[in-house]
Amino acid sequence: MEKLRVTPDRVCFLDIVPGTTYVQKIEVKNLTSRSYRLRVGQPSTSNFEIIHTEFSPIPLGLSIMLDVVFTTTEEKEFFDFFHVYAEGIDIKVPLEGRLPAPLFQFQKFVNFGVMVPGQTVSQTVMMENVGSAPGEFSLVYDGDTHVELSPTKAIVQPGCSRNVEVAFTSAEVGVFRVVVVVETRRDGAQVEKGAGHEVPQIIDVNAAVVASSVSLLLPEGDTPVTTLSFGPLFYRHSVSVNTVLANNGPSAASFKFDTTEMREPNEDGEYPTNTARSASADSAAAEDEYENPLVFDPMSGVLQPYERLPVSVTFSPDCSDD
């Protein structure tokens, strides 16, 4: 159980300037039902100092305030810590003095969702420098050929941003993940952990590539249509069978039913004009035109992603089968 709470639990002085004194207050709160007498261990470097009055016991639920003072005459970064002691308690509080530095904020997850083979999609990631100094970002990854980044590095001024295009090209079916490491540099030197930086900073690129197909199915059980049986029919009578045209892919797909193979070529070896009837077409046709006995309704169109479209197949024989 936590007995004493130090807030904040880490002190970081940002954008330090030599010759300037910085002060940060810290609260030490007693969370127990008994009182505690505190003792503070000073930092090892003289740049940090913990200032406090003589401690009296901290009653339950109450707190005391400490001042963390930092000063320097050198243009460099500082790291130290101090301890807060009580009976059986030792709390270590990290201390940092940070020079002005770049700090990039950006979208950390790029999800292209479900794609089909051969498809290329892209998203834009904005690299925003919310820090206090110019900085260069570099995007490092394993060279996966599915992903292309542009640009892979750039210098960005404080308060400015640069867009990076992340493009993904799907070549084969599968689930893909590419981890892009973002390195930050200031004056050619890489910015280390701290001052809001995570190590490493990454952009996680993900995509799932699935095979896309359009299938003609029977409504009962989604059985693929390989043969349609219309049974025995009288001349000039017709019968219809209901089917479903299904697009199982994440992109739109156009379709058209082609019944050319049902025609026979004329003396010149050419196929006659197809005047295949739709549900709304007039049954009368010119004698010199070919009326296809097999009609799909609709004959053509566009299926939206994962759409299931009812299709009526009508067979109307114009002559008997010898």
Side-chain angles (χ1 to χ4, degrees):
M1 187 183 80
E2 187 180 15
K3 298 178 180 179
L4 295 178
R5 178 177 297 164
V6 178
T7 308
D9 58 2
R10 166 179 164 270
V11 177
C12 183
F13 298 100
L14 300 176
D15 305 333
I16 60 175
V17 177
T20 304
T21 300
Y22 302 87
V23 180
Q24 169 74 55
K25 289 191 175 295
I26 283 186
E27 178 188 38
V28 181
K29 186 172 184 178
N30 182 2
L31 303 178
T32 69
S33 59
R34 54 161 293 184
S35 62
Y36 281 100
R37 185 180 295 275
L38 301 184
R39 183 169 61 86
V40 171
Q42 289 290 337
S44 59
T45 60
S46 59
N47 301 92
F48 295 98
E49 182 183 5
I50 312 301
I51 298 177
H52 58 86
T53 57
E54 186 67 27
F55 291 133
S56 58
I58 307 177
L60 61 95
L62 298 183
S63 60
I64 63 169
M65 304 300 295
L66 308 178
D67 286 336
V68 181
V69 180
F70 172 78
T71 185
T72 180
T73 58
E74 301 175 87
E75 191 171 343
K76 69 174 187 178
E77 296 191 330
F78 296 84
F79 303 91
D80 207 335
F81 56 86
F82 76 96
H83 288 266
V84 175
Y85 300 106
E87 182 181 340
I89 299 172
D90 181 357
I91 301 175
K92 182 179 178 179
V93 182
L95 303 172
E96 299 178 21
R98 291 279 184 171
L99 292 170
L103 176 60
F104 286 101
Q105 289 185 352
F106 51 88
Q107 176 185 341
K108 302 225 174 13
F109 189 76
V110 177
N111 186 8
F112 289 108
V114 181
M115 304 169 57
V116 295
Q119 184 181 4
T120 299
V121 292
S122 64
Q123 291 188 29
T124 298
V125 175
M126 184 176 69
M127 308 293 294
E128 183 180 9
N129 185 359
V130 297
S132 54
E136 179 185 48
F137 68 82
S138 296
L139 307 179
V140 181
Y141 64 110
D142 61 4
D144 191 301
T145 56
H146 297 90
V147 174
E148 183 177 354
L149 307 174
S150 180
T152 55
K153 63 171 56 179
I155 296 175
V156 183
Q157 299 297 319
C160 299
S161 62
R162 180 69 182 269
N163 286 339
V164 173
E165 182 179 8
V166 182
F168 185 91
T169 301
S170 56
E172 63 272 354
V173 173
V175 177
F176 298 89
R177 182 188 183 212
V178 178
V179 176
V180 180
V181 177
V182 181
E183 297 179 350
T184 302
R185 288 179 170 82
R186 175 189 61 212
D187 298 330
Q190 186 167 340
V191 177
E192 301 298 334
K193 181 178 179 180
H197 292 277
E198 301 170 6
V199 176
Q201 289 185 294
I202 66 169
I203 301 175
D204 197 341
V205 182
N206 292 264
V209 183
V210 300
S212 178
S213 64
V214 175
S215 305
L216 188 64
L217 309 172
L218 293 176
E220 299 81 12
D222 281 353
T223 306
V225 174
T226 56
T227 303
L228 285 176
S229 177
F230 296 97
L233 291 175
F234 290 106
Y235 173 65
R236 290 292 186 181
H237 283 229
S238 64
V239 65
S240 296
V241 175
N242 293 323
T243 64
V244 174
L245 192 62
N247 178 11
N248 73 340
S251 58
S254 59
F255 69 91
K256 180 179 180 180
F257 291 102
D258 186 1
T259 56
T260 304
E261 293 185 3
M262 296 194 63
R263 316 177 204 173
E264 294 183 0
N266 57 25
E267 295 178 354
D268 298 326
E270 298 177 350
Y271 288 96
T273 304
N274 182 10
T275 57
R277 297 180 297 272
S278 65
S280 59
D282 188 353
S283 61
E287 291 183 358
D288 59 345
E289 292 185 330
Y290 171 79
E291 287 191 355
N292 198 321
L294 189 64
V295 177
F296 291 82
D297 187 21
M299 287 291 290
S300 61
V302 176
L303 286 173
Q304 297 304 313
Y306 305 107
E307 182 181 4
R308 296 168 60 88
L309 178 69
V311 175
S312 175
V313 186
T314 301
F315 184 62
S316 302
D318 290 333
C319 60
S320 63
D321 186 1
D322 297 330

